[in-house]
């Protein structure tokens, strides 16, 4: 059977090319001592000697998503700590002000509210980095969220490792810009 060839847009790379790049990156990446290694794809951001864990606040109106992301955050202990769970915008603002999380995982579609409108206010309230976790796969919405101040944008359909990488990257960018 002939292999079907998918047309690539200008500048787009094939899946095979991405796989080759990942293999090359793994070969050239320095090995860390076993004490600093974790399941995180961004091993350079591991903080084995950190005094306090990264605090993560999760904002979503779906209970199943809240529980799932909370379990993911708890599985990254002792590097991460679950700061709190919010189901709407007002609760998110109250918790962000009280708990001062390092990273906020925010859904764009909250019940009756827009997470996009809430994003700048959340970032100003606590100074934490915001990672968008949403079911919307719209490129314009992604660009708008990043323009408004999000540090990352992850689909709810993406693997958990992608969310872990986005949270680590957002925390790294936040602490780098603050220092």
């Amino acid at each position: 059977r002939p292999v079907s060839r998918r047309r690539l847009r200008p500048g787009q790379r094939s899946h095979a090319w991405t796989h080759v790049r990942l293999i090359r990156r793994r070969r050239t990446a320095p090995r860390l001592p076993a004490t600093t290694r974790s399941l995180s794809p961004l091993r350079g951001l591991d903080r084995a000697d950190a005094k306090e864990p990264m605090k993560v606040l999760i904002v979503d109106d779906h209970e199943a998503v809240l529980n799932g992301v909370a379990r993911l955050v708890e599985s990254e202990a002792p590097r991460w700590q679950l700061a709190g769970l919010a189901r709407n915008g007002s609760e998110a603002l109250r918790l962000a002000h009280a708990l001062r999380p390092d990273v906020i995982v925010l859904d764009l579609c909250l019940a009756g509210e827009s997470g996009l409108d809430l994003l700048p206010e959340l970032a100003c309230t606590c100074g934490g980095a915001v990672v968008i976790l949403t079911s919307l796969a719209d490129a314009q919405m992604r660009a708008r969220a990043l323009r408004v101040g999000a540090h990352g944008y992850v689909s709810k359909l993406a693997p958990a490792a992608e969310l872990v990488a986005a949270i680590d990257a957002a925390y790294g960018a936040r602490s780098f810009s603050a220092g």
Side-chain angles (χ1 to χ4, degrees):
R1 255 171 106 171
V3 177
S4 65
R5 302 243 182 223
R6 187 173 60 118
R7 282 192 153 220
L8 299 177
R9 286 178 259 143
Q12 186 180 10
R13 302 274 179 140
S14 70
H15 174 71
W17 175 254
T18 305
H19 183 69
V20 168
R21 271 190 16 229
L22 287 174
I23 290 172
R24 283 185 191 156
R25 191 178 305 149
R26 279 190 213 129
R27 270 194 234 143
T28 59
R31 295 285 289 170
L32 296 172
T35 57
T36 61
R37 272 189 237 141
S38 77
L39 297 176
S40 170
L42 299 176
R43 290 189 177 137
L45 295 175
D46 288 342
R47 293 172 176 82
D49 58 337
K51 303 274 189 267
E52 294 181 21
M54 172 184 18
K55 295 185 289 185
V56 180
L57 172 65
I58 306 165
V59 183
D60 201 306
D61 57 334
H62 294 100
E63 197 68 33
V65 175
L66 276 175
N67 292 334
V69 177
R71 290 184 75 184
L72 177 67
V73 168
E74 289 167 347
S75 75
E76 288 291 320
R79 292 185 322 119
W80 296 3
Q81 174 187 358
L82 180 62
L85 303 173
R87 288 155 185 80
N88 56 46
S90 59
E91 191 177 351
L93 288 170
R94 184 180 55 76
L95 287 174
H97 181 71
L99 302 172
R100 303 279 183 204
D102 298 306
V103 178
I104 300 168
V105 178
L106 175 66
D107 185 14
L108 282 183
C109 300
L110 298 171
E113 299 176 82
S114 169
L116 207 54
D117 296 337
L118 186 65
L119 196 151
E121 200 173 347
L122 268 176
C124 289
T125 299
C126 68
V130 179
V131 174
I132 301 294
L133 179 66
T134 185
S135 57
L136 301 175
D138 183 17
Q140 291 176 341
M141 187 65 77
R142 176 189 204 111
R144 189 169 163 214
L146 294 173
R147 201 172 40 247
V148 172
H151 287 78
Y153 192 97
V154 180
S155 169
K156 287 183 179 178
L157 301 175
E162 200 170 307
L163 180 58
V164 169
I167 292 171
D168 271 337
Y171 182 61
R174 180 191 157 277
S175 59
F176 177 76
S177 64

